[in-house]
Amino acid sequence: MELAQAQRLWHPEPGWLNTASYGLPPDSSWDALQAALADWRVGRTSWEGWDEATGRSRAAFAALVGAPVADVTVGATAAQLLAPIAAAMPAGATVVVPEVEFTTNLFPWLVQAERGVRVRTVALDRLVDAIDSDTDLVAFSLVQSADGTVAPYDRVVAAARAHDALVVVDATQACGWLPFDATLADAVVVAAYKWLMAPRGVAFGYLAPGLRETLRPDTASWYAGQDPHTSYYGPPLRLATDARRFDLSPAWFSFVAAAPALELLAEVGTAAVRAYDVGLANRFLTGLGQPEGDSAIVAVDVPQAEQRLARAGVRAAVRAGQVRASFHLYSTVQDVDLALAALTD
């Protein structure tokens, strides 16, 4: 599907520049969710039909990040997917993390301090050089939440491999607009309610086979069984042999809405979405006299920006003392110009 054709499936009120906080659903997602809720309200159907959306979502995510479906697990939040990796770090291990990292990808490592796991934080622009022979794992966001900085993914991976360190990536602020190969890392986690435009309660993780062998699925339930439908009662333990053994039993309605959004993104292609999103972001930057960038998320320091945008009906966010604007495929030139008029008047 062409991007222009897909854009007709959204109907945002003018001025929404805050996808980095939450994304907006296409008509196909909204309609699927309303139908499921209507069925739920009157008990019209069984749950198995809703659960089919979980498999569709898993497959669409795998296609977006270039990973085998068997290496993708589903969950509820990015931190929940990181937890078994953090818990598996041996005592005395060292984890290197950018110092401004969103705490979803920081707290899971810090809480392991009582077991002797050390966390060393460094400036993002020093991350590559900070990976050394003492590093056991490097964790970072592919795109930083605060200001949209895109991490040097390939260089971080190369440095980590040179020192036999694991690579864990939080791609929550990247997946959906930035093409990348998840299989370069050992693990990639994504909360889907932002650029993947799903409801809250949907998250995906790529877990490399070699890493999975070192992890214990502490949240295992019937849904993590080799055959979930024969895993309702009693022993023995019979978990899936692939990444599904780390699945959390899904929030049905969230996945019902997630599947159409992910499938639409996969059909349009993230390369086309990236070109469009970054183009709008650069229109915004150049309109403020700033150089162009390479991200769909930008942060600007303009006096009283928050109040000026609010008066104009523009919804953005404030992060680290700056106004953060984010642009996705349903954003328009008119949205950008509305924000520019408010900030330059």
Side-chain angles (χ1 to χ4, degrees), residues 110-130:
L110 288 175
V111 298
Q112 306 301 323
E114 64 183 28
R115 298 193 302 106
V117 174
R118 297 185 295 267
V119 176
R120 179 157 50 93
T121 59
V122 299
L124 179 59
D125 60 5
R126 294 185 50 245
L127 182 61
V128 173
D129 294 334

Side-chain angles (χ1 to χ4, degrees), residues 22-63:
Y22 68 86
L24 309 183
D27 287 345
S28 51
S29 291
W30 180 260
D31 293 344
L33 179 57
Q34 301 315 305
L37 292 175
D39 287 344
W40 173 45
R41 187 179 189 184
V42 298
R44 186 176 292 122
T45 186
S46 185
W47 60 269
E48 288 86 354
W50 301 331
D51 188 55
E52 290 176 2
T54 307
R56 289 169 51 199
S57 299
R58 190 196 313 267
F61 174 80

Side-chain angles (χ1 to χ4, degrees), residues 131-151:
I131 301 168
D132 56 24
S133 58
D134 292 329
T135 304
D136 296 286
L137 183 148
V138 56
F140 65 100
S141 290
L142 189 53
V143 174
Q144 283 292 330
S145 169
D147 60 8
T149 299
V150 180

Side-chain angles (χ1 to χ4, degrees), residues 71-103:
D71 293 340
V72 172
T73 182
V74 298
T77 69
Q80 168 251 316
L81 293 172
L82 289 171
I85 307 174
M89 295 302 295
T94 297
V95 179
V96 177
V97 187
E99 61 190 4
V100 294
E101 185 75 5
F102 194 76
T103 49

Side-chain angles (χ1 to χ4, degrees), residues 161-325:
R161 299 305 179 222
H163 294 289
D164 296 323
L166 295 171
V167 177
V168 175
V169 179
D170 182 349
T172 296
Q173 294 289 10
C175 191
W177 73 265
L178 182 66
F180 69 96
D181 181 357
T183 65
L184 296 179
D186 297 288
V188 175
V189 298
V190 175
Y193 67 94
K194 299 179 186 286
W195 303 90
L196 296 180
M197 302 169 293
R200 287 273 290 188
V202 175
F204 300 95
Y206 161 74
L207 299 175
L211 176 65
R212 293 202 304 269
E213 294 174 0
T214 69
L215 308 181
R216 188 176 65 188
D218 286 336
T219 59
S221 69
W222 68 276
Y223 202 80
Q226 181 63 30
D227 177 3
H229 298 291
T230 61
S231 301
Y232 295 157
Y233 304 108
L237 184 66
R238 47 199 185 275
L239 298 182
T241 57
D242 58 14
R244 288 197 307 103
R245 64 173 35 222
F246 296 93
D247 280 4
L248 206 63
S249 183
W252 290 321
F253 303 129
S254 292
F255 279 89
V256 162
L262 269 71
E263 290 167 348
L264 183 59
L265 274 174
E267 189 174 354
V268 172
T270 49
V273 176
R274 178 190 181 279
Y276 181 81
D277 291 4
V278 175
L280 289 182
N282 285 337
R283 181 184 181 93
F284 180 72
L285 289 172
T286 57
L288 293 173
Q290 299 187 28
E292 293 187 350
D294 60 354
S295 181
I297 305 171
V298 299
V300 295
D301 190 1
V302 178
Q304 298 183 322
E306 185 177 11
Q307 296 84 351
R308 295 162 77 174
L309 291 172
R311 285 195 297 268
V314 176
R315 285 91 70 206
V318 176
R319 295 291 184 273
Q322 295 182 304
V323 170
R324 184 190 69 185

